[in-house]
Amino acid sequence: MNSLKPGSIFLISAIFRVGLILYGEWQDAHMEVRYTDVDYIVFSDAASLMASGQSPYKRTTYRYSPLLAFLLIPNSFFSPSWGKFLFSASDLFVGLFIRIILKQRKVPDHLCTYSMLIWLFNPFTFTIGTRGNCEPIVCAMILWIIICLINGNVIQAACWYGLIVHFRIYPIIYALPIILFLDPHIFQSNVKPLLCEWTSDQGKTRQINSEVTDQFDAWTAFKSIFTRSRILFGLVSGSVFLLCTGFFFRLYGWEFLHEALLYHLTRTDPRHNFSIYFYHIYLNYERDLSVLEKLISFLPQFIVQMVLVFCFAKDLVFCFFVQTVAFVAFNKVITAQYFVWFFCLLPLILPWTNMKLKWKGLSCIFLWMGAQTHWLLWGYLLEFKGKNVFLQLWMAGLLFLAANTFILILLIRHHNYTPVFRQPTGLKTTRKKHE
C-alpha cells in the first residue's frame, strides 16, 4: 500500500470514473434499466431551459438552486455528459481534500492513503457522481470549508458556507457547531490557530482530550457568542446567502423561493423511502397535512442535533459526521444519495477511532449493509412485484433506524475526542494563575 503514490491513486480513480461514465452511456442506449440517475435528466432539462432564457422551474420536480442548472448549461451545447464529468471531478476533489486535511493534522501517510481509498474506491460513492448526482459538489465544498477553518481563514470559510447553504439547504445544521468552534481565544487577529496533531499514543490522546474537554464549556461558549470571529462569520455567510437568494428571487420570484428553499422544510413524500415517517405520510397523503404535522418531524432531529453539537463542537469534523448521520437517520425523507453526505466525512474520523476493523468494524459494516439490504428486499417486492408490503417496509425502516443509531453510538464510544486546535500556552498559564 505504501508503494501507491497519491498521484497514481488519483489517476486510476479518474480513469475508472471516465470508464463508468462511458459505460453508463452504453447502458442507457442498450438496456432497459438506465445507469443515469433520473435526477440528472431533471438537472439537464432545467439547464436547457435556463440556456434558452427561461426559468429552470418550468421543469417539474426541479427543486434546487438555479446555480446547479447554470453549471450544467454546457450539457445543451457541449456534451450531455458534461455534468457527470463535473460531478466526478468534484468526487476526486473530495479525495484530495481528505488527504489535505489529514496531512495538516500530521496523520501518517499510510493512514492518509487508506482514508483516501475508502472514499475514492467506495462503490457507493463513485457511482453517485458517474450516474449524474450533484452531491459530490456539496461534499467537496463542505470539506473545503473545513480546510479554510483549520487554516484560520474565517472570511473565506464564511463565503463558501453561505454559498453552500444556498446551493443545498441541509448544511445549515453545521452553523451552530461552527459558531461554537470559533473560540475567541484561538481565532485571534493575525495569529494562525495551533492544530492538535495526530498521535499514535491513544492513552496519551485520551488524557489530553479529557484536559481540553474540561476546559471547554459549550454553554459558556454559547453565552459568549458575540465575539469578533463569530460575528464576522455570521455576517459574511448570511450576506452571501441573502445575496444569492435575493438575486435569484428577483429573476424567478416566488417559484424559486418555494421550490429551492421552502419546499424542503415541509416536504412530504408518499413514495416508499428509508424514513420511518413515510408510512404515516402515505396513509395521510390524500388529506392535507397541517404545517404543524409537517414540521413536528424536525423535533427529534432538533433534540439530537443540540445534544451532539454541545458535546462535540470542538472536535469539528467528528461533530459534522455524527450530526449528519443523525440528521439523515431521523429525516422525514431518506433516499440513498443522502448517505454520501456522511460518507465524505467518515475517512476524516477513522484515524481517531480505536475501533478495530476485526471484528467490531466489520460487524458495523455488515449490520448497516444488512439492514439496508433487508429494506431493499421489501422495496423490491412493493415496487416491482406490486405486493402490499407497506407495513413490512415501514418495520424495515425502523430496523434501519435502529442499526444507524447503534452504529453511531459505537462510533462515539470508540472515538478519541480530539479538538482541532490546542489552546495557546499563554492562555493556559493565565488560567492556572486564576485557579
Side-chain angles (χ1 to χ4, degrees), residues 322-394:
V322 294
Q323 272 190 279
T324 311
V325 173
F327 178 82
V328 172
F330 287 92
N331 205 26
K332 63 179 180 291
V333 177
I334 306 173
T335 60
Q337 70 190 51
Y338 294 178
F339 303 147
V340 78
W341 296 350
F342 56 80
F343 276 168
C344 70
L345 298 165
L346 177 63
L348 295 174
I349 70 167
L350 292 180
W352 284 270
T353 185
N354 57 25
M355 182 187 293
K356 302 297 183 184
L357 181 62
K358 184 182 178 181
W359 292 97
K360 279 190 177 180
L362 288 174
S363 298
C364 287
I365 293 171
F366 288 128
L367 174 61
W368 192 81
M369 293 178 62
Q372 186 177 170
T373 303
H374 174 247
W375 185 95
L376 290 171
L377 172 64
W378 294 109
Y380 170 80
L381 293 175
L382 173 65
E383 186 167 350
F384 292 96
K385 297 299 183 180
K387 296 185 179 296
N388 184 8
V389 291
F390 281 98
L391 182 59
Q392 294 90 328
L393 192 62
W394 174 69

Side-chain angles (χ1 to χ4, degrees), residues 11-22:
L11 180 60
I12 295 171
S13 301
I15 293 172
F16 183 61
R17 282 160 172 77
V18 170
L20 278 176
I21 292 172
L22 296 177

Side-chain angles (χ1 to χ4, degrees), residues 215-286:
Q215 292 177 356
F216 174 60
D217 181 351
W219 177 243
T220 302
F222 183 74
K223 289 191 293 184
S224 61
I225 198 169
F226 296 107
T227 61
R228 180 183 177 277
S229 57
R230 289 164 176 163
I231 293 173
L232 188 63
F233 183 88
L235 287 175
V236 174
S237 60
S239 298
V240 171
F241 174 80
L242 290 174
L243 281 172
C244 293
T245 304
F247 175 76
F248 289 118
F249 179 73
R250 186 168 183 177
L251 286 178
Y252 305 117
W254 174 257
E255 191 175 32
F256 149 72
L257 201 60
H258 178 265
E259 297 293 341
L261 298 174
L262 300 179
Y263 168 81
H264 298 283
L265 297 177
T266 57
R267 178 183 178 185
T268 55
D269 193 343
R271 294 171 298 178
H272 58 285
N273 63 83
F274 290 97
S275 174
I276 60 172
Y277 297 104
F278 105 88
Y279 193 44
H280 172 75
I281 293 172
Y282 168 76
L283 293 176
N284 295 275
Y285 193 70
E286 291 188 359

Side-chain angles (χ1 to χ4, degrees), residues 64-105:
Y64 302 85
S65 167
L67 282 175
L68 178 58
F70 176 77
L71 291 173
L72 268 59
I73 285 178
N75 278 21
S76 303
F77 61 85
F78 180 68
S79 168
S81 297
W82 161 264
K84 294 180 182 179
F85 284 103
L86 177 64
F87 301 153
S88 296
S90 301
D91 190 2
L92 295 175
F93 271 108
V94 172
L96 175 62
F97 294 158
I98 287 171
R99 179 174 178 80
I100 290 173
I101 293 170
L102 294 180
K103 290 300 292 181
Q104 285 189 318
R105 300 194 67 186

Side-chain angles (χ1 to χ4, degrees), residues 117-179:
L117 293 174
I118 287 171
W119 171 264
L120 292 173
F121 292 97
N122 183 330
F124 183 85
T125 58
F126 64 62
T127 55
I128 286 289
T130 56
R131 293 184 66 228
N133 194 285
C134 69
E135 301 303 339
I137 291 181
V138 183
C139 294
M141 292 179 72
I142 293 296
L143 296 196
W144 180 249
I145 290 167
I146 293 173
I147 292 173
C148 292
L149 288 171
I150 65 177
N151 284 295
N153 298 323
V154 176
I155 294 179
Q156 187 180 160
C159 290
W160 287 106
Y161 183 71
L163 184 63
I164 194 59
V165 171
H166 165 82
F167 188 83
R168 202 81 162 90
I169 193 67
Y170 90 86
I172 193 69
I173 66 174
Y174 304 139
L176 182 56
I178 291 176
I179 292 297

